Short mmCIF file of all heavy atoms in Angstrom, two decimals:
data_model
loop_
_atom_site.label_atom_id
_atom_site.label_comp_id
_atom_site.label_asym_id
_atom_site.label_seq_id
_atom_site.Cartn_x
_atom_site.Cartn_y
_atom_site.Cartn_z
N GLY A 1 20.33 5.33 13.98
CA GLY A 1 19.05 5.06 14.52
C GLY A 1 18.09 5.70 13.53
O GLY A 1 18.36 6.92 13.22
N GLY A 2 16.91 5.02 13.24
CA GLY A 2 15.99 5.71 12.36
C GLY A 2 14.68 5.37 12.65
O GLY A 2 14.14 4.33 13.43
N VAL A 3 13.67 6.36 12.35
CA VAL A 3 12.18 6.18 12.71
C VAL A 3 11.45 6.60 11.39
O VAL A 3 11.84 7.59 10.69
CB VAL A 3 11.73 7.14 13.71
CG1 VAL A 3 10.21 7.05 13.94
CG2 VAL A 3 12.40 6.67 15.16
N SER A 4 10.51 5.77 10.87
CA SER A 4 9.55 6.09 9.85
C SER A 4 10.42 6.19 8.55
O SER A 4 11.12 5.34 8.18
CB SER A 4 8.87 7.37 10.17
OG SER A 4 7.79 7.51 9.20
N THR A 5 10.34 7.40 7.87
CA THR A 5 11.34 7.42 6.72
C THR A 5 12.68 7.48 7.01
O THR A 5 13.56 6.93 6.23
CB THR A 5 10.80 8.88 6.00
OG1 THR A 5 11.45 8.68 4.57
CG2 THR A 5 11.55 10.00 6.62
N GLY A 6 13.00 7.83 8.25
CA GLY A 6 14.44 7.59 8.72
C GLY A 6 14.86 6.21 8.84
O GLY A 6 15.98 5.98 8.71
N ALA A 7 13.86 5.34 9.06
CA ALA A 7 14.23 3.94 9.13
C ALA A 7 14.55 3.41 7.90
O ALA A 7 15.44 2.51 7.61
CB ALA A 7 12.99 3.15 9.75
N LEU A 8 13.87 3.97 6.79
CA LEU A 8 14.22 3.50 5.41
C LEU A 8 15.57 3.90 4.89
O LEU A 8 16.19 3.52 4.06
CB LEU A 8 13.11 4.09 4.34
CG LEU A 8 11.59 3.62 4.87
CD1 LEU A 8 10.60 4.03 3.73
CD2 LEU A 8 11.56 2.10 4.89
N LEU A 9 15.95 5.09 5.51
CA LEU A 9 17.26 5.58 5.16
C LEU A 9 18.39 4.90 5.87
O LEU A 9 19.62 4.92 5.47
CB LEU A 9 17.29 7.15 5.59
CG LEU A 9 16.52 8.23 4.74
CD1 LEU A 9 16.29 9.48 5.60
CD2 LEU A 9 17.26 8.39 3.46
N ALA A 10 18.18 4.41 7.13
CA ALA A 10 19.10 3.97 8.08
C ALA A 10 20.06 2.88 7.62
O ALA A 10 21.35 3.02 7.89
CB ALA A 10 18.48 3.64 9.41
N THR A 11 19.63 2.01 6.99
CA THR A 11 20.39 0.89 6.55
C THR A 11 21.65 1.25 5.69
O THR A 11 22.71 1.01 6.03
CB THR A 11 19.68 -0.33 5.92
OG1 THR A 11 18.66 -0.81 6.65
CG2 THR A 11 20.65 -1.39 5.40
N HIS A 12 21.27 2.09 4.61
CA HIS A 12 22.36 2.57 3.86
C HIS A 12 23.12 3.52 4.27
O HIS A 12 24.23 3.83 3.86
CB HIS A 12 21.74 2.87 2.32
CG HIS A 12 20.96 1.65 1.74
ND1 HIS A 12 21.69 0.52 1.23
CD2 HIS A 12 19.60 1.35 1.51
CE1 HIS A 12 20.80 -0.32 0.71
NE2 HIS A 12 19.66 0.07 0.78
N ALA A 13 22.54 4.25 5.30
CA ALA A 13 23.48 5.29 5.91
C ALA A 13 24.47 4.63 6.76
O ALA A 13 25.70 5.10 6.78
CB ALA A 13 22.44 6.10 6.85
N LEU A 14 24.22 3.48 7.39
CA LEU A 14 25.18 2.82 8.17
C LEU A 14 26.23 2.32 7.25
O LEU A 14 27.46 2.36 7.45
CB LEU A 14 24.45 1.58 8.97
CG LEU A 14 25.41 0.79 9.67
CD1 LEU A 14 25.81 1.48 10.98
CD2 LEU A 14 24.85 -0.65 9.98
N LEU A 15 25.71 1.58 6.11
CA LEU A 15 26.76 0.98 5.40
C LEU A 15 27.57 1.92 4.56
O LEU A 15 28.79 1.72 4.32
CB LEU A 15 25.98 0.16 4.30
CG LEU A 15 25.22 -1.06 4.92
CD1 LEU A 15 24.44 -1.87 3.87
CD2 LEU A 15 26.09 -1.94 5.70
N GLY A 16 27.11 3.10 4.02
CA GLY A 16 27.83 4.36 3.82
C GLY A 16 28.81 4.36 2.56
O GLY A 16 29.47 5.23 2.45
N THR A 17 28.70 3.52 1.63
CA THR A 17 29.50 3.49 0.42
C THR A 17 28.71 4.42 -0.60
O THR A 17 27.56 4.71 -0.53
CB THR A 17 29.75 2.06 -0.07
OG1 THR A 17 28.40 1.51 -0.71
CG2 THR A 17 30.20 1.09 0.84
N PRO A 18 29.51 4.72 -1.67
CA PRO A 18 28.93 5.45 -2.78
C PRO A 18 27.76 4.71 -3.50
O PRO A 18 26.66 5.37 -3.89
CB PRO A 18 30.05 5.66 -3.65
CG PRO A 18 31.20 5.79 -2.97
CD PRO A 18 31.07 4.80 -1.84
N ALA A 19 27.80 3.45 -3.58
CA ALA A 19 26.73 2.63 -4.07
C ALA A 19 25.61 2.69 -3.11
O ALA A 19 24.45 2.66 -3.64
CB ALA A 19 27.22 1.16 -4.20
N ASP A 20 25.73 2.77 -1.72
CA ASP A 20 24.53 2.89 -0.85
C ASP A 20 23.94 4.29 -1.16
O ASP A 20 22.75 4.36 -1.05
CB ASP A 20 24.93 2.71 0.57
CG ASP A 20 25.28 1.24 0.68
OD1 ASP A 20 24.48 0.29 0.79
OD2 ASP A 20 26.51 1.01 1.08
N ASP A 21 24.82 5.22 -1.25
CA ASP A 21 24.32 6.65 -1.51
C ASP A 21 23.39 6.70 -2.79
O ASP A 21 22.38 7.35 -2.85
CB ASP A 21 25.46 7.66 -1.59
CG ASP A 21 25.96 8.06 -0.27
OD1 ASP A 21 25.50 7.38 0.78
OD2 ASP A 21 27.02 8.59 -0.31
N ALA A 22 23.78 5.93 -3.79
CA ALA A 22 23.15 5.91 -5.12
C ALA A 22 21.70 5.21 -4.85
O ALA A 22 20.71 5.61 -5.43
CB ALA A 22 23.92 5.11 -6.08
N LYS A 23 21.58 4.21 -3.93
CA LYS A 23 20.39 3.68 -3.62
C LYS A 23 19.45 4.75 -2.98
O LYS A 23 18.18 4.69 -3.15
CB LYS A 23 20.55 2.42 -2.84
CG LYS A 23 21.09 1.23 -3.65
CD LYS A 23 21.50 0.03 -2.71
CE LYS A 23 22.18 -1.00 -3.55
NZ LYS A 23 22.46 -2.24 -2.81
N LEU A 24 20.02 5.40 -2.02
CA LEU A 24 19.14 6.49 -1.30
C LEU A 24 18.71 7.38 -2.22
O LEU A 24 17.47 7.94 -2.22
CB LEU A 24 20.13 7.11 -0.17
CG LEU A 24 20.44 6.29 0.96
CD1 LEU A 24 21.30 7.06 2.00
CD2 LEU A 24 19.17 5.63 1.68
N GLU A 25 19.57 7.90 -3.29
CA GLU A 25 19.05 8.85 -4.15
C GLU A 25 17.98 8.39 -5.02
O GLU A 25 16.94 9.04 -5.30
CB GLU A 25 20.16 9.39 -5.14
CG GLU A 25 19.82 10.39 -6.04
CD GLU A 25 21.03 11.07 -6.85
OE1 GLU A 25 22.18 10.63 -6.64
OE2 GLU A 25 20.73 11.94 -7.54
N GLU A 26 18.01 7.08 -5.44
CA GLU A 26 16.95 6.45 -6.27
C GLU A 26 15.67 6.32 -5.50
O GLU A 26 14.61 6.61 -5.94
CB GLU A 26 17.37 5.05 -6.77
CG GLU A 26 16.42 4.37 -7.56
CD GLU A 26 16.82 2.91 -8.06
OE1 GLU A 26 17.99 2.65 -7.77
OE2 GLU A 26 16.01 2.19 -8.48
#
């Protein structure tokens, strides 16, 4: 679950692959 900036994090946190982590870092 995410709210505000947490909502922007939430999708790739759920998917959870190293590629998703790279998107979060970017």
Side-chain angles (χ1 to χ4, degrees):
V3 173
S4 195
T5 197
L8 304 182
L9 290 163
T11 298
H12 296 294
L14 176 82
L15 298 176
T17 68
D20 291 294
D21 287 351
K23 291 177 181 177
L24 291 179
E25 182 168 7
E26 181 181 350

